[in-house]
Amino acid sequence: MKKLINKPEDVVREELEGMALAHPDLIRVHFDPNYVVRVDAPVKGKVGVLSGGGSGHEPMHGGFVGIGMLDAACPGAVFTSPTPDQMLEATRAINGGAGVLHIVKNYTGDIMNFEMAADLARAEGIEVESVVIDDDVAVKDSLYTAGRRGVGSTVLAEKLCGAAAEQGRSLKEVADVCRKVKDWGRSMGMALTSCTVPHVGRPTFDLPEDEMEIGIGIHGEPGRTRMKLKPADEIVEMLMEPIINDIPYKAGDEVLLFVNGMGGTPLIELYIVYRKAHQIATKHGLKVVRNLIGSYITSLEMAGTSITLLKMDEDMIKLWDAPVKTPGLRWGM
């Protein structure tokens, strides 16, 4: 195992210490329990937006804490759900009196712990809404899920809901934006290599040099199929067609096209993927009105990509364009 770490057991804490030193104008980091919170939280009268999950997917979620996106994020151990006490303390820390939205990826541990934290927060008089993102069309059930996994749409939900909350919308209105993302977003990914969890010290799965896995999960969960490596255009077709056929999208729909790197994929390859994905979307009559290209929801050093399509209406386009300033995503400020 070759990694730029000290001790495996210190990885998450030392990462958080580095974030705190790098971005004191945007975030505060709380330890024991661990959570990242925007520097001016709680913002009085504003809905708080909280998400979280295992570490190893950076910049999601801690890198998206700041103005116009998340108010707080709870990082668990690598590929391990955060605990209810983290979520409860973070909920308290961002409660400005207008309630708190929990954006939850559909993994069993995340759902169980967020539900427990929400119940505890409600018992303290904090209004909480929770929306579960389950956008992965690859498989219905997986190692860590009942139903579809939550993947790329989570990043888009955090941006759109953060913008809605920044505008002063009510908790119900912000949650409704999140439900639109849940209903209108679909994703699918693939892997060229495995990844190595620091405290395990060996690759999560074995993938020969001449093979790829289609439909891989963000923790290395098995996908739809394993096959010999294909050219990029063929791979993109294997991802885009199931996505487009799932809702299904219809000709004339305006969409956001998100091409994500899994951590070890260079940007030159992501633009090759985007080129073909855009062509396929156009062939189906879809109008790509916004995009995002880069590594925003990763699996440590895994090489591969995921593609997300999100149907957009006029309000969602405005929310997407709204200013955002976080360690991992910023524009308009």
Side-chain angles (χ1 to χ4, degrees):
M1 179 176 72
K2 290 183 178 179
K3 289 186 179 289
L4 283 169
I5 64 173
N6 295 305
K7 298 177 181 178
E9 61 269 25
D10 294 336
V11 164
V12 174
R13 185 177 186 92
E14 291 181 353
E15 177 213 6
L16 293 173
E17 289 172 351
M19 287 184 67
L21 292 169
H23 306 289
D25 57 323
L26 297 175
I27 61 171
R28 302 191 313 268
V29 176
H30 185 278
F31 295 96
D32 303 319
N34 296 342
Y35 59 87
V36 182
V37 64
R38 62 185 273 175
V39 71
D40 57 348
V43 180
K44 187 175 181 180
K46 185 184 99 60
V47 170
V49 183
L50 170 66
S51 193
S55 296
H57 304 302
E58 289 75 14
M60 192 184 77
H61 296 275
F64 299 141
V65 174
I67 299 168
M69 211 160 174
L70 293 178
D71 291 271
C74 299
V78 174
F79 291 2
T80 303
S81 175
T83 59
D85 63 314
Q86 289 175 259
M87 299 165 180
L88 177 59
E89 287 217 19
T91 299
R92 291 170 177 156
I94 63 174
N95 176 35
V100 176
L101 172 66
H102 289 174
I103 301 176
V104 187
K105 301 189 304 302
N106 188 32
Y107 296 96
T108 305
D110 288 11
I111 288 177
M112 179 177 66
N113 291 342
F114 265 108
E115 282 180 352
M116 192 178 303
D119 287 343
L120 292 169
R122 291 183 188 113
E124 296 179 5
I126 302 172
E127 189 178 1
V128 177
E129 285 243 28
S130 298
V131 178
V132 176
I133 304 294
D134 55 354
D135 57 317
D136 190 346
V137 304
V139 294
K140 184 180 179 185
D141 297 304
S142 191
L143 294 178
Y144 305 107
T145 59
R148 291 178 166 178
R149 302 175 295 216
V151 285
S153 291
T154 313
V155 175
L156 310 183
E158 291 173 358
K159 168 64 180 84
L160 294 165
C161 294
E166 209 73 49
Q167 290 180 353
R169 298 191 191 185
S170 70
L171 178 57
K172 180 186 181 302
E173 290 169 330
V174 176
D176 283 345
V177 170
C178 202
R179 293 186 186 100
K180 274 188 187 177
V181 178
K182 171 187 172 68
D183 292 342
W184 291 358
R186 296 292 187 274
S187 302
M188 190 167 169
M190 60 80 60
L192 299 171
T193 68
S194 182
C195 59
T196 299
V197 176
H199 64 266
V200 176
R202 62 182 183 276
T204 301
F205 59 93
D206 177 58
L207 190 59
E209 283 292 316
D210 62 343
E211 292 186 2
M212 62 181 182
E213 181 111 20
I214 299 293
I216 197 78
I218 58 172
H219 310 95
E221 306 98 310
R224 283 188 174 188
T225 184
R226 183 173 291 195
M227 63 178 68
K228 296 296 183 182
L229 187 62
K230 305 281 187 185
D233 284 359
E234 292 183 37
I235 294 170
V236 175
E237 287 179 3
M238 293 180 204
L239 301 179
M240 281 291 286
E241 294 299 337
I243 290 170
I244 289 173
N245 293 328
D246 190 79
I247 290 185
Y249 298 86
K250 64 181 186 296
D253 282 348
E254 294 186 325
V255 297
L256 184 153
L257 175 56
F258 173 25
V259 171
N260 177 65
M262 301 298 282
T265 308
L267 200 53
I268 189 172
E269 296 177 20
L270 296 183
Y271 277 111
I272 291 170
V273 170
Y274 181 82
R275 163 192 160 274
K276 184 61 177 178
H278 192 287
Q279 290 172 357
I280 293 171
T282 301
K283 182 186 75 173
H284 282 270
L286 304 179
K287 184 179 180 183
V288 178
V289 294
R290 296 293 183 272
N291 62 55
L292 185 65
I293 301 108
S295 296
Y296 294 102
I297 170 171
T298 63
S299 300
L300 296 167
E301 78 280 18
M302 181 186 288
T305 187
S306 64
I307 299 174
T308 300
L309 269 184
L310 175 64
K311 180 180 171 182
M312 302 282 276
D313 61 19
E314 185 178 344
D315 182 55
M316 292 169 77
I317 292 171
K318 289 178 180 177
L319 290 173
W320 183 259
D321 291 343
V324 59
K325 190 175 182 182
T326 71
L329 196 70
R330 62 176 72 192
W331 58 70
M333 300 187 77

